[in-house]
Amino acid sequence: MKTTTREHWEWKVQLAIAYAHNNSLIDISLKAVADMLSVSKDIFSHKFSSLKGEPYARYVKRTRLEAGVGYLRHSNFSINEISEKCRYSGESFAKAIRSWFNISPSGLRNQDYMPAERHTLEQTRIATASQQDFPEYFNMENTVDCRLPDCTLYYNILPSGNDPVKGMVASMARYSRQLRDLTTELAMEDAHIITGTLDVVPVTTYDRMMMYVGLLLPNTPANTMAHYQLITQYKERYRLVDRQIGEGHYKKLEVPLSFAEAGLPMYKFINANCRQGHFYMRTNHFFISLPEPSVSEIYIPWQK
């Protein structure tokens, strides 16, 4: 695939991935996605499989089931509530989980480690040269409760080469600088540069994880013009996809560490506290805000 052709299709694939994440509560038709992208169903199917290593329909099913496992592990929602969030009945959800993971939903809820988890943590440690857990920073006493308004996230899925955290570390400066320049140019109010993963950390195999960096911009009247300019002038130019992030409660933790230093101890902190019942997550997607190169603000969606 020529470079220009590959870049064109990587952009189409990002749009398809964003569509799946934005429409997790409806049936997704391959033809509808292809029509949205103005390409034939067969060509889109082939290109997606070529770039992502799996068919689009399988990607959608896998990520929904992995989201369900994330809820089982880190939330206090009932299994029926989690089934509904993943568009399954209780019985069909249990059957799908057993088929995919060879264990029942209740068994997954009680399992200390997922099969992919230790490998993911070790690969993350290698990619970030992480040697410490920083318990002096990562403890419940340092968290504050806060609420974020409705926001739109404009984001780039970062290049990975099957080593997503390494890819994130290598490309973060370029992408975050571009987004930081935009916040100044468009006079955004209360915008955050954030990074994280689109996937469920203990469930998705390391090589399939997708890291992102993006602008989290409140949907407020003060930002109306900035949203318009982002959509009409910068979205395609900077290869930004978007998703809506509803208002909600968060546990916020500020640490004097770069995002690379903070990532692994952040996950260990979240996992340990959810497993011990100190708090539960209402969605699977925590993220790191990057106010300064050596400061990270961690936001954990809190099931208050």
Side-chain angles (χ1 to χ4, degrees):
M1 201 182 295
K2 294 181 179 179
T3 302
T4 53
T5 303
R6 185 180 183 88
E7 289 174 354
H8 169 80
W9 279 105
E10 284 176 343
W11 168 232
K12 296 284 190 185
V13 164
Q14 284 200 58
L15 290 170
I17 288 169
Y19 183 84
H21 279 268
N22 293 342
N23 294 280
S24 60
L25 297 181
I26 66 171
D27 286 323
I28 294 179
S29 158
L30 183 64
K31 185 179 185 307
V33 177
D35 288 346
M36 176 193 73
L37 299 175
S38 301
V39 298
S40 78
K41 182 177 73 171
D42 290 342
I43 290 176
F44 167 69
S45 181
H46 170 72
K47 296 295 186 182
F48 189 94
S49 294
S50 175
L51 286 169
K52 302 309 294 182
E54 62 184 326
Y56 185 67
R58 178 183 169 86
Y59 166 79
V60 172
K61 180 178 181 180
R62 174 176 65 81
T63 53
R64 286 184 175 178
L65 286 175
E66 289 174 347
V69 177
Y71 284 120
L72 289 168
R73 301 262 302 162
H74 291 151
S75 83
N76 198 30
F77 296 122
S78 71
I79 292 177
N80 282 337
E81 288 173 319
I82 294 169
S83 301
E84 291 176 5
K85 289 177 179 292
C86 300
R87 294 204 76 257
Y88 284 87
S89 68
E91 184 177 338
S92 63
F93 179 66
K95 183 177 179 180
I97 288 290
R98 282 186 180 278
S99 173
W100 209 272
F101 298 101
N102 199 32
I103 191 172
S104 69
S106 58
L108 276 171
R109 173 154 267 177
N110 296 321
Q111 189 166 311
D112 286 337
Y113 284 94
M114 293 296 297
E117 191 166 2
R118 285 190 173 94
H119 177 69
T120 294
L121 297 180
E122 177 60 16
Q123 291 302 116
T124 302
R125 184 192 66 77
I126 293 169
T128 59
S130 177
Q131 302 296 332
Q132 300 184 58
D133 289 343
F134 298 105
E136 67 273 29
Y137 304 140
F138 290 90
N139 60 70
M140 287 296 295
E141 289 72 23
N142 292 337
T143 63
V144 296
D145 301 337
C146 68
R147 187 176 182 88
L148 293 182
D150 283 322
C151 294
T152 302
L153 173 62
Y154 301 92
Y155 64 97
N156 297 103
I157 298 175
L158 298 173
S160 68
N162 295 325
D163 196 336
V165 176
K166 183 178 180 181
M168 177 180 69
V169 172
S171 56
M172 179 64 74
R174 175 168 65 92
Y175 284 89
S176 61
R177 183 169 57 249
Q178 174 180 281
L179 295 174
R180 206 170 299 281
D181 289 345
L182 274 178
T183 63
T184 302
E185 183 178 344
L186 302 185
M188 299 177 189
E189 185 176 282
D190 298 326
H192 295 265
I193 309 292
I194 71 171
T195 188
T197 175
L198 296 179
D199 308 283
V200 182
V201 172
V203 186
T204 308
T205 57
Y206 180 77
D207 61 312
R208 290 195 182 278
M209 284 171 54
M210 288 182 289
M211 315 305 292
Y212 73 87
V213 60
L215 269 172
L216 189 66
L217 185 61
N219 298 328
T220 56
N223 286 321
T224 299
M225 181 55 68
H227 283 293
Y228 175 77
Q229 291 174 296
L230 279 166
I231 293 168
T232 59
Q233 299 177 36
Y234 295 98
K235 185 176 177 180
E236 186 165 355
R237 187 197 310 179
Y238 288 168
R239 297 291 193 258
L240 295 169
V241 289
D242 60 87
R243 68 181 303 182
Q244 295 302 307
I245 307 294
E247 67 175 340
H249 294 277
Y250 289 81
K251 293 285 187 183
K252 178 182 174 183
L253 179 61
E254 184 174 318
V255 295
L257 303 168
S258 69
F259 74 92
E261 294 172 305
L264 186 57
M266 170 189 68
Y267 171 70
K268 291 180 177 179
F269 169 77
I270 293 171
N271 186 53
N273 280 283
C274 287
R275 304 299 290 162
Q276 294 166 18
H278 295 158
F279 62 79
Y280 294 103
M281 290 173 59
R282 58 182 168 78
T283 77
N284 289 309
H285 300 297
F286 47 84
F287 59 85
I288 301 177
S289 177
L290 312 173
E292 300 175 29
S294 59
V295 175
S296 296
E297 294 175 344
I298 294 158
Y299 287 83
I300 306 163
W302 176 29
Q303 187 184 341
K304 187 175 182 180

